[in-house]
Amino acid sequence: MHSKQDPCCHPGLMHPDQAIPKLLDQVQPTRDTEIVPLSHAMGRILAEDLASMLDLPPFDNSSMDGYAFRLADLQHSNTLKLAGYSFAGHPYEGQYLPGSCVRIMTGAPVPECYDTVQMQEKTQADGELITIEAPDAIGANVRERGEELKAGDKVLTKGTRIGAAEMGVLATIGQSQVRVYRKLTVAFFSTGDELRPVGTELAPGQIYDSNRYSILGLLQKADVDWLDLGVIADDPEAIRAAFKEASANADMVLTSGGVSVGDADYTKQILDEEGEITFWKMAIKPGKPFAFGKLGNAVFCGLPGNPVSSMVTFYKIVMPLLQKMQGLPAQPVLSLKATLTNPIRKHPGRVEYQRAILSRNDAGELQVCTTGSQGSGMLTSMSLANSFIVLPQMQGDTPAGSVVDVEPFTDVLN
Ligand code: AMP
Ligand code: MG
């Protein structure tokens, strides 16, 4: 909470740095795991530490196309006799003959009797006589068995989200399947009599329900299963029925709209009756109102209705909650310093997430400008942006030329 000395704080507003850890304390990681084939592991979260069963690479192999030989043999002559071939997947199986070499390709096993590879561009071939020009040091161009990992070394840690690189790493160590945490299910719906689903005509006073689609996009980024319950009218019984269906079938119930002070907003009233919900007023802009609690066995998050507010609160609050529930450790936020190129008007009191474009100026330094009008209903400001400028709670007007904190949109928001 804010100290009494902060004259411009709205009473009851909580700084997100205080509120978010309190919210995170109230959710637990799932313990349920399942085994999935590697081909279906993308985006999933590892439920166990994995060690390599193999040395990596599993055998000494060449990093170049060229000739493998024993460096000491060059003491007698730089010209060696070709004894055979080692191709990728087809090792040389002959005996060692003093003064010999084998033709070798990238990735092919380096025969045990040899210790060095010379790239072919630095050799001369005359029939079966190969001259090594300006040889490198012993071991040159040989990728040694176990140089990346030894059998038994830990490769991936429990709680790692499997991305493209991890897919490859898992295959490298021969893992055809992998134990991951169960996928969470998030049920979501929009509330508001003014909202119409896309594909229908708008009557006067109506708008399309956009939040359900930005939320759907965010849920897909979060790699959860979802249950889309559509638009629910501002009608107490319809909202009650939707909450019941959602909480019976999901780990998290997510709604947008109806958490601020509004005449036709029944959400609060019904949540009070059906679950244990707290209405948080967070010192962030956009996004002040946020409802959180338990609805049956499900976690409930009520996002504000304004389209930018709902995305920002999802990004700052719901995403970390989902990540914890999925079994991920706390994810660091990438924050950079950049020079602001346009002035920003701001009242002290809330942390502001201004939608922004981060780039480099001609001198190669990071610069950032806002995307223009920052109304919390203007979703195009999110679409134009590649980052947030984050202005601290007590910051006021910020002139061009100021150095500001910028959080680039990660994969989560793009
Ligand atoms: P509320 O939080 O319900 O008071 O809504 C705040 C503002 O966001 C109002 O202008 C609503 O029309 C708008 N709004 C609420 N839900 C949505 C939605 N799902 N899609 C687009 N706009 C919405
Ligand atoms: Mg509403």
Side-chain angles (χ1 to χ4, degrees), residues 190-191 194-195 207-211 256-260 265 304-307:
S190 300
T191 65
E194 75 281 28
L195 303 175
I207 57 170
Y208 287 118
D209 169 18
S210 59
N211 290 352
S256 77
V259 290
S260 55
D265 289 343
N306 272 311

Side-chain angles (χ1 to χ4, degrees), residues 273-340:
E273 291 163 25
E274 300 289 327
E276 293 164 41
I277 311 295
T278 309
F279 292 89
W280 297 69
K281 285 207 166 49
M282 244 178 253
I284 63 172
K285 187 179 175 186
K288 185 164 56 179
F290 182 80
F292 178 82
K294 279 274 158 65
L295 206 58
N297 290 325
V299 169
F300 172 77
C301 292
L303 303 176
N306 272 311
V308 185
S309 310
S310 70
M311 282 198 81
V312 169
T313 43
F314 187 111
Y315 165 66
K316 287 312 293 180
I317 307 170
V318 178
M319 194 59 97
L321 287 168
L322 280 177
Q323 288 170 339
K324 180 171 178 192
M325 292 167 69
Q326 284 175 316
L328 277 173
Q331 302 292 295
V333 174
L334 175 62
S335 177
L336 306 172
K337 299 266 183 213
T339 304
L340 185 63

